[in-house]
Amino acid sequence: MVVSMTGYGLGTSESDRLKVRVEVKTVNHRFSEFHIRMPRQLLVLEDKIKKLLATYIRRGRAEVFISIEGEGLLTKRLEVDWSLLEQYMSYLNEFTYKYHLHPNDALQNITHLEGVFHIHEEQTNTDEIEVLIMDAVKQAGEQLKAMRKAEGLRLQEDIVQQLHSFTHTVDRVKEYAPSVLEQYKLRLQMRMNEFTSGIIDETRMLNEVAIFTDKADINEEITRLKSHLSQVYSTIERDESIGRKLDFIVQEMNREVNTIGSKANDAKIASEVVEMKSLLEKIKEQVQNIE
């Protein structure tokens, strides 16, 4: 089954005090990559999130955005070093008296005194948050999977249409191929007539025809193209990641078409080769989007 690498999924989950929103966007990529953006306090859940998403995404680059609304993930606690503060205050009182400063001028920056005030952050219990996040990730994954399958179906329909056109083109080339040999034989015979006054060395002519036949024979390439076509059709029916395999097969098909173009000394076949290369380019563009 053809699955696209591009898609989008959204999942939300909430409790009485928290609401989690997860967005997953995927694009084409040679391998499987996950980039997760979420509050740093929850980075401990990153591996679990990746493993869950991997059940939905076998290939492609995934951008994951996780946001949380509601009560904070951290509780903050203020600590004061009273001993140090008393020393500061002692010196501040002395400065105030010595330099005739107003007490408010000395005290207004008390919060900036180094080492006196400390804010400690403590992470709240993540069990509830983890359940909400994983539920939202699952929802996003399901939605993403459905979208990628729907897009994959459209890709498959387009590829099959291009393959049908390609198959017809290969059939026409196969039909033209025998006439290429006959035309060459006639041209060779006419040329030999011009230079030998009608006296033709039959053995030499047959040797020339045999050499040309060996060089211009494209039956092997046509047979391989037919085999590659069968492989494409069977591959797109598999329930696995098929993008890279299809890309390889298309490259092999293009190689066979190039060989046919270099071998066949015929205007009709040359025209069909151009058409085959054009169709393969369209197929390749679509294959680049397949998981």
Side-chain angles (χ1 to χ4, degrees), residues 34-72:
F34 297 94
H35 297 270
I36 301 176
R37 299 180 186 178
M38 62 180 175
R40 62 181 179 82
Q41 298 86 0
L42 300 175
L43 289 177
V44 66
L45 301 177
E46 186 172 358
D47 286 341
K48 289 185 178 180
I49 293 171
K50 287 182 177 180
K51 287 179 181 178
L52 179 56
L53 286 174
T55 63
Y56 300 100
I57 305 167
R58 289 177 288 195
R59 184 168 170 242
R61 176 188 172 92
E63 295 282 350
V64 185
F65 304 89
I66 300 176
S67 60
I68 300 176
E69 299 176 7
E71 296 182 13

Side-chain angles (χ1 to χ4, degrees), residues 13 37 54 61 70 81 101 105 108 114 162 166 208 219 234 250 277 285:
S13 186
R37 299 180 186 178
R61 176 188 172 92
D81 188 333
L101 300 175
D105 293 334
Q108 64 181 351
E114 184 177 355
Q162 303 297 340
F166 187 88
E208 291 289 337
N219 286 320
S234 63
V250 171
K277 290 179 72 67
E285 288 178 4

Side-chain angles (χ1 to χ4, degrees), residues 240-257:
E240 59 186 52
S241 182
I242 60 175
R244 274 189 273 183
K245 182 174 181 179
L246 286 176
D247 186 53
F248 173 76
I249 296 173
V250 171
Q251 290 183 38
E252 291 300 305
M253 291 172 70
N254 193 63
R255 186 175 290 110
E256 300 300 340
V257 171

Side-chain angles (χ1 to χ4, degrees), residues 146-174:
M147 180 177 289
R148 281 158 59 106
K149 279 188 175 181
E151 178 62 24
L153 181 60
R154 289 190 286 271
L155 290 174
Q156 181 172 332
E157 290 173 349
D158 185 75
I159 290 174
V160 169
Q161 183 179 352
Q162 303 297 340
L163 288 173
H164 286 163
S165 298
F166 187 88
T167 301
H168 293 321
T169 308
V170 173
D171 290 338
R172 288 196 295 270
V173 170
K174 185 176 182 180

Side-chain angles (χ1 to χ4, degrees), residues 92-103 105:
L92 285 173
N93 289 332
E94 185 176 339
F95 291 157
T96 301
Y97 175 78
K98 185 174 182 179
Y99 296 105
H100 307 289
L101 300 175
H102 192 282
D105 293 334

